[in-house]
Amino acid sequence: MQHPPQYSPKVAMVAGETSGDLLAGLLLDGLQAQWPGVAGHGIGGAQMQARGFDAWWPSERLAVHGYSIELVRRLLGILKIRKDLRARLLADKPDVFIGVDAPDFNLGLERGLRAAGVKTVHFVCPSIWAWRANRVEKIRASADHVLCIFPFEPELLARHGIAATYVGHPLASVIPMQPDQQAARAQLGLAKDDEVLAILPGSRSAEVAYIAKPFFQAAALIRKARPAIKLVVPAVPALRARIEQIARECGVLEQLTLVTGQSHAVLAACDCTLIASGTATLEAALFKRPMVIAYHMHPISWRLMRRKQLQPWVGLPNILCRDFVVPELLQDAATPQALADAVQQWLDAPARDPARMASLERRFTALHESLRRDTPRLAADAIQKILA
């Protein structure tokens, strides 16, 4: 089907949480370069709204944590939003619906819209290669096309009859190949020769509730061994007060430098990071920083997740490198002493094990190169072909 020269598609989108909002904002950049009049409507956050997106509900309404207990508490409200959104979109059908991440919410919505004749795109392949492989059938029924951020995903989806395009990972273009550590330290008020540990206990309240305490207890142990070390914590504004409270209970609040946001500056500035499993671990890898990955969740959620896990790794850097490039301390293994010991091994490595540091930088540089693509343009080109 050929569209007239001034054609501008009607686009509906749903992005969940901060990471989805960032991805959707970059996608809107590509769509607007292709079709200057596109703005979109649906569910989105600040990045999308800055590009003219009409957010009928904010992305934060979809934010959940865990697999069972935490999800149940908010399930009814989320299902009501999805029902209302579906009714609005069916009453005035878009040319294309783009579900950005949030697969538990978006795939069911996409399936209903697709059945009604709406073209559907899912941006970010659900991690069927890591756990919940049975979800592939739902993807096939829901999405006309999948935009993938990891290079091995299109071939995997093709085996199941699902059309997909690798568009690269947006973070790989945002983060420089060679980060300027000294500029980042100057930005944060740190000295050139400081030893710096970045502590990232997560961007969700439930993550902070479970992992911040052992992180700060580990920080206290590290401080005893290395009194001069600088501890820097980037906190999302909504969680800053809670992080301060937990740090105070652990007796390290006075030793921390708490900054609002600025996680990229903190990762660029640090020598090592103690970090909760999630997208931030990939950011740390792109900054070529040693890390200790940890996670803790409700015991029932943990048992359910472990049953469905398909790979031996949980952290994205290890999954993508297909190796335990950095240590993972999960659930009961994430004790303060174990975390402190693993961090100090990295801090000692430049002097005691330089080969380990050199190997880490080589692996993370190769990973960075494999992920860096013109994501907005590639995604918009794929969507244009679907609409044509």
Side-chain angles (χ1 to χ4, degrees), residues 1 11 30 32-33 35 62-63 65 87 108 117 145 148 160 162 176 244 282 294 302 310 313 359:
M1 180 176 66
V11 176
Q32 289 170 353
W35 299 290
L62 306 187
H65 171 75
H145 205 89
C148 300
H160 298 278
I162 300 168
E244 288 179 346
L282 179 59
W302 173 252
L310 301 178
W313 314 284
S359 174

Side-chain angles (χ1 to χ4, degrees), residues 61 73-82:
R61 294 288 295 275
R73 293 172 183 162
R74 300 188 60 185
L75 183 60
L76 292 178
I78 290 172
L79 290 175
K80 175 68 163 56
I81 290 173
R82 187 166 68 176

Side-chain angles (χ1 to χ4, degrees), residues 152-325:
F152 61 84
E153 292 173 329
E155 181 183 354
L156 173 62
L157 291 172
R159 292 182 210 148
H160 298 278
I162 300 168
T165 300
Y166 172 54
V167 298
H169 200 297
L171 285 171
S173 296
V174 171
I175 296 170
M177 190 64 71
Q178 295 180 319
D180 190 336
Q181 186 180 59
Q182 294 310 318
R185 290 188 170 200
Q187 178 183 333
L188 296 169
L190 297 166
K192 177 181 177 181
D193 297 326
D194 281 340
E195 187 173 55
V196 180
L197 173 64
I199 302 174
L200 281 74
S203 59
R204 307 175 190 174
S205 59
E207 286 176 331
V208 169
Y210 279 109
I211 203 66
K213 185 175 180 180
F215 273 19
F216 292 143
Q217 290 173 331
L221 294 172
I222 294 167
R223 279 274 301 182
K224 286 182 181 178
R226 316 170 96 93
I229 195 167
K230 305 297 183 184
L231 309 173
V232 186
V233 184
V236 297
L239 297 177
R240 183 175 176 120
R242 179 61 178 143
I243 288 172
E244 288 179 346
Q245 178 187 351
I246 297 171
R248 186 180 296 109
E249 292 169 359
C250 296
V252 295
L253 180 60
E254 299 304 319
Q255 288 77 48
L256 297 182
T257 298
L258 267 168
V259 298
T260 301
Q262 302 186 75
S263 62
H264 281 193
V266 172
L267 288 171
C270 75
D271 295 298
C272 177
T273 177
L274 178 56
I275 191 166
S277 179
T279 303
T281 63
L282 179 59
E283 294 175 292
L286 295 175
F287 278 104
K288 324 298 184 299
R289 295 298 179 251
M291 72 190 84
V292 175
I293 298 172
Y295 210 68
H296 199 285
M297 60 174 62
H298 191 283
I300 295 177
S301 296
W302 173 252
R303 286 196 291 272
L304 288 168
M305 191 196 80
R306 292 294 281 183
R307 288 176 190 169
K308 294 177 179 289
Q309 186 179 344
L310 301 178
Q311 300 196 52
W313 314 284
V314 169
L316 277 171
N318 290 339
I319 289 171
L320 292 168
C321 291
R322 304 196 64 75
D323 192 7
F324 280 104
V325 180

Side-chain angles (χ1 to χ4, degrees), residues 70 101 293 338:
E70 297 89 344
D101 214 357
I293 298 172

